[in-house]
């Protein structure tokens, strides 16, 4: 478990991260989403111990990052944003060297290196110099070093950066598989990445947490959208008199070519009410009072619309 409490990171007077708190449970795949400069990489560097918070505390598996940094880092696999590697080494040499830095014995290193190469699809490039690899294969090599010591926590900063569409699909499948045994934190500015692999999204804006929600919660239906015609007059008071309705927004639309005018209503159903039953009662009430019902549906809020609202 990772607990971040009131964390701020300053560079002089500039606050790259401002009073952010969050808790990440074991086994979650959490996406840090935001525009470039939102604070995603800074938070990841603080979780992994590469930066210290100016204010606040970070606790990983019961250990505080300030006093137990090395112990925490042994439990973390980290892919930095720019994927630093040694270009003069082959893939196997690099991974074996990184395994030795993790304190793994020579007998342990071989099987773990082989497993990391297999899981990241690097078999054909294993004995090739990293300097000759494409950007996508270098990215895979960076992921391989992050997972080779089988860490409890994986922190991946833009893991699909530079990958082609096929490699992106492979990486998504790999991250999902890794989450079976590890907590995974993924940083990205690509909405599709979060929707494809994450259980939960944390949206950052200007160094602050703007949203923290599970994806299935975001995708719940929103307001009830109703399109009416056949009668003049504002239907707001009629709709709001229906049990279960919290509020209503109304817009009138004049039509051309002698077509009848229509009225659109956005109805907010009160929390805890049966949404379907409320919709049925509204429909019956409108028809009883002489309105024609042209359309009725619940609007859907997805990650794209939520992110646009926050960014706007």
């Amino acid at each position: 478990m990772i607990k971040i409490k009131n964390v701020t990171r300053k560079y002089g007077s500039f606050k790259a991260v401002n009073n952010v708190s969050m808790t990440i449970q074991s086994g979650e795949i959490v996406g840090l989403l935001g525009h470039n400069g939102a604070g995603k990489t800074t938070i990841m560097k603080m979780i992994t111990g590469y930066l210290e918070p100016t204010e606040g505390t970070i606790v990983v598996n019961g250990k505080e990052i300030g006093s137990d940094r090395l112990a925490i880092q042994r439990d973390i696999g980290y892919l930095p944003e720019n994927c630093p590697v040694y270009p003069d080494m082959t893939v196997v040499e690099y991974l074996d060297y990184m395994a030795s830095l993790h304190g793994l014995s020579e007998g342990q290193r071989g099987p773990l290196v082989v497993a990391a190469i297999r899981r990241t699809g690097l078999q054909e490039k294993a004995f090739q110099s990293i300097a000759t690899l494409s950007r996508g294969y270098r990215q895979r090599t960076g992921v391989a070093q992050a997972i080779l010591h089988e860490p409890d926590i994986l922190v991946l900063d833009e893991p699909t950066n530079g990958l082609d569409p096929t490699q992106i699909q492979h990486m998504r499948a790999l991250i999902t598989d890794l989450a079976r045994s590890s907590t995974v934190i993924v940083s990205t500015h690509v909405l599709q990445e979060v929707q494809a692999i994450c259980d939960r999204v944390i949206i950052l804006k200007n160094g602050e947490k703007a949203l923290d929600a599970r994806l299935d919660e975001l995708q719940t239906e929103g307001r009830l959208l109703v399109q009416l015609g056949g009668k003049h007059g504002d239907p707001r008071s009629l709709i709001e008199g229906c049990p279960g309705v919290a509020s209503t927004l109304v817009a009138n639309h004049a039509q051309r070519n002698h077509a009848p005018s229509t009225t659109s209503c956005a109805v907010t159903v009160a929390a805890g009410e049966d949404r379907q039953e409320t919709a049925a009662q509204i429909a019956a009430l409108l028809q009883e009072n002489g309105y024609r019902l042209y359309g009725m549906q619940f609007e859907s809020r997805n990650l794209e619309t939520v992110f646009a609202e926050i960014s706007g």
Side-chain angles (χ1 to χ4, degrees), residues 25 33 92 100 150 204 212 236 253 273:
Q25 303 292 341
L33 182 63
V92 167
S100 69
E150 299 180 337
L204 299 170
D212 184 350
R236 184 183 290 107
H253 308 284
E273 295 290 337

Side-chain angles (χ1 to χ4, degrees), residues 250-292:
V250 175
N252 295 310
H253 308 284
Q255 302 293 327
R256 297 180 179 180
N257 301 325
H258 306 290
S261 61
T262 61
T263 300
S264 295
C265 306
V267 182
T268 301
V269 178
E273 295 290 337
D274 185 327
R275 298 164 62 82
Q276 301 298 335
E277 179 60 28
T278 300
Q281 291 182 21
I282 291 172
L285 187 64
L286 290 169
Q287 290 179 320
E288 288 172 3
N289 284 270
Y291 287 93
R292 289 183 178 272

Side-chain angles (χ1 to χ4, degrees), residues 217-223 275-276 298-301:
E217 294 172 353
L218 285 181
Q219 293 166 355
T220 56
E221 294 169 316
R223 299 172 300 177
R275 298 164 62 82
Q276 301 298 335
F298 285 105
E299 68 177 354
S300 295
R301 296 178 75 240

Side-chain angles (χ1 to χ4, degrees), residues 4-288:
I4 299 173
K5 185 175 181 181
N6 304 125
V7 164
T8 295
R9 173 67 193 193
K10 296 180 182 178
Y11 294 95
S13 60
F14 173 69
K15 292 182 178 179
V17 173
N18 183 26
N19 195 32
V20 169
S21 297
M22 64 182 76
T23 299
I24 299 173
Q25 303 292 341
S26 299
E28 281 192 300
I29 307 179
V30 177
L32 294 183
L33 182 63
H35 293 300
N36 292 330
K40 306 184 300 294
T41 294
T42 301
I43 287 177
M44 288 185 152
K45 287 182 176 180
M46 288 190 288
I47 291 173
T48 55
Y50 286 87
L51 283 177
E52 292 185 358
T54 307
E55 300 171 9
T57 59
I58 299 175
V59 177
V60 180
N61 291 339
K63 307 179 187 75
E64 190 168 341
I65 198 70
S67 56
D68 295 309
R69 180 173 56 87
L70 293 178
I72 290 171
Q73 288 177 332
R74 281 192 287 269
D75 293 333
I76 292 178
Y78 180 37
L79 174 68
E81 183 178 14
N82 296 317
C83 187
V85 290
Y86 294 104
D88 55 327
M89 289 183 171
T90 66
V91 171
V92 167
E93 289 171 341
Y94 170 70
L95 294 179
D96 184 69
Y97 174 63
M98 296 303 293
S100 69
L101 294 182
H102 283 294
L104 300 172
S105 68
E106 188 172 347
Q108 293 173 308
R109 296 203 299 263
L112 290 174
V113 167
V114 170
I117 287 174
R118 176 182 53 78
R119 296 182 81 178
T120 52
L122 285 166
Q123 296 93 321
E124 295 180 1
K125 307 293 182 180
F127 298 99
Q128 192 168 320
S129 170
I130 293 175
T132 65
L133 298 180
S134 67
R135 183 176 181 180
Y137 277 109
R138 289 192 185 196
Q139 193 76 355
R140 292 199 202 190
T141 303
V143 174
Q145 68 78 26
I147 68 174
L148 64 85
H149 60 300
E150 299 180 337
D152 293 332
I153 298 168
L154 272 174
V155 180
L156 307 176
D157 200 348
E158 304 285 357
T160 59
N161 187 24
L163 303 187
D164 63 35
T166 300
Q167 293 171 335
I168 288 173
Q169 292 296 329
H170 182 273
M171 186 63 67
R172 289 175 179 175
L174 173 60
I175 292 171
T176 302
D177 180 61
L178 292 170
R180 299 177 188 274
S181 57
S182 303
T183 302
V184 181
I185 305 172
V186 180
S187 164
T188 184
H189 58 269
V190 181
L191 295 173
Q192 292 85 349
E193 289 301 313
V194 175
Q195 292 180 139
I197 62 177
C198 294
D199 306 313
R200 178 174 152 211
V201 60
I202 296 171
I203 298 179
L204 299 170
K205 181 180 181 181
N206 299 327
E208 299 181 352
K209 186 173 72 173
L211 177 80
D212 184 350
R214 292 187 58 83
L215 285 179
D216 52 6
E217 294 172 353
L218 285 181
Q219 293 166 355
T220 56
E221 294 169 316
R223 299 172 300 177
L224 177 65
L225 305 181
V226 183
Q227 189 173 21
L228 304 170
K231 183 176 180 180
H232 298 292
D234 190 339
R236 184 183 290 107
S237 60
L238 181 65
I239 294 174
E240 291 184 351
C242 185
V245 174
S247 63
T248 307
L249 295 175
V250 175
N252 295 310
H253 308 284
Q255 302 293 327
R256 297 180 179 180
N257 301 325
H258 306 290
S261 61
T262 61
T263 300
S264 295
C265 306
V267 182
T268 301
V269 178
E273 295 290 337
D274 185 327
R275 298 164 62 82
Q276 301 298 335
E277 179 60 28
T278 300
Q281 291 182 21
I282 291 172
L285 187 64
L286 290 169
Q287 290 179 320
E288 288 172 3

